[in-house]
Amino acid sequence: MSLDVFGFIDPVLESRPDGGVFLVPGHEGGYTGPGGTWESSVPEPIQLKLVHIAAASKKDVEWVGGGVGEPRDLKVVHINDGTMIYPDDDGRYSAMLRFTDGLAMRWWRVINADCRPWRNFCRVLVERSRDEPR
């Protein structure tokens, strides 16, 4: 029997902010029609249910290497509902998260993700994005 954290989260650790946490996929669309033309579409945000948001640790800030203007612009998000965030084929994370930092609803760019599908767990390091995406 293997350990599985699917649906298991201590109510004390659940820190979903007001307004919720949304995962916005990077690209959607596909080839359609007889000629195989690409038609892009606007991705629908997915609301994440079991999440825990915390400030990044000193180790996470050092791992980034000082590329962040403000250390408070880094957050660690633990996703416990089975949602996984993987990089694109070119190694970049195009998915973004959207949640409030206590002041306003903000966009957060994924820097690093540690996904463990056999445990239904994903740890994501995010950085506040100053640009409105798309």
Side-chain angles (χ1 to χ4, degrees), residues 24-30 38-44 87-90 92-96 134:
V24 182
H27 306 286
E28 281 204 15
W38 176 264
E39 290 185 10
S40 61
S41 62
V42 178
E44 289 291 323
D88 285 343
D89 292 336
D90 59 358
R92 294 183 310 134
Y93 292 92
S94 63
M96 296 187 78
R134 295 177 263 309

Side-chain angles (χ1 to χ4, degrees), residues 38-105:
W38 176 264
E39 290 185 10
S40 61
S41 62
V42 178
E44 289 291 323
I46 303 164
Q47 185 169 12
L48 303 176
K49 302 291 184 189
L50 295 174
V51 297
H52 172 67
I53 301 170
S57 67
K58 181 180 176 185
K59 182 179 176 183
D60 289 325
V61 174
E62 289 173 355
W63 180 83
V64 172
V68 178
E70 295 280 336
R72 68 176 170 246
D73 286 346
L74 285 176
K75 301 279 187 197
V76 175
V77 180
H78 298 98
I79 305 170
N80 295 317
D81 63 1
T83 303
M84 301 291 139
I85 298 175
Y86 294 109
D88 285 343
D89 292 336
D90 59 358
R92 294 183 310 134
Y93 292 92
S94 63
M96 296 187 78
L97 295 177
R98 189 160 188 245
F99 59 88
T100 182
D101 62 354
L103 300 174
M105 192 65 101

Side-chain angles (χ1 to χ4, degrees), residues 4-9 14 16 21-23 46-52 77-85 97 115-124:
D4 187 2
V5 295
F6 183 71
F8 179 83
I9 188 167
E14 189 172 357
R16 190 173 56 239
V21 178
F22 294 91
L23 171 65
I46 303 164
Q47 185 169 12
L48 303 176
K49 302 291 184 189
L50 295 174
V51 297
H52 172 67
V77 180
H78 298 98
I79 305 170
N80 295 317
D81 63 1
T83 303
M84 301 291 139
I85 298 175
L97 295 177
C115 296
R116 300 174 188 189
W118 59 94
R119 302 260 192 260
N120 292 312
F121 174 77
C122 189
R123 179 187 185 272
V124 182

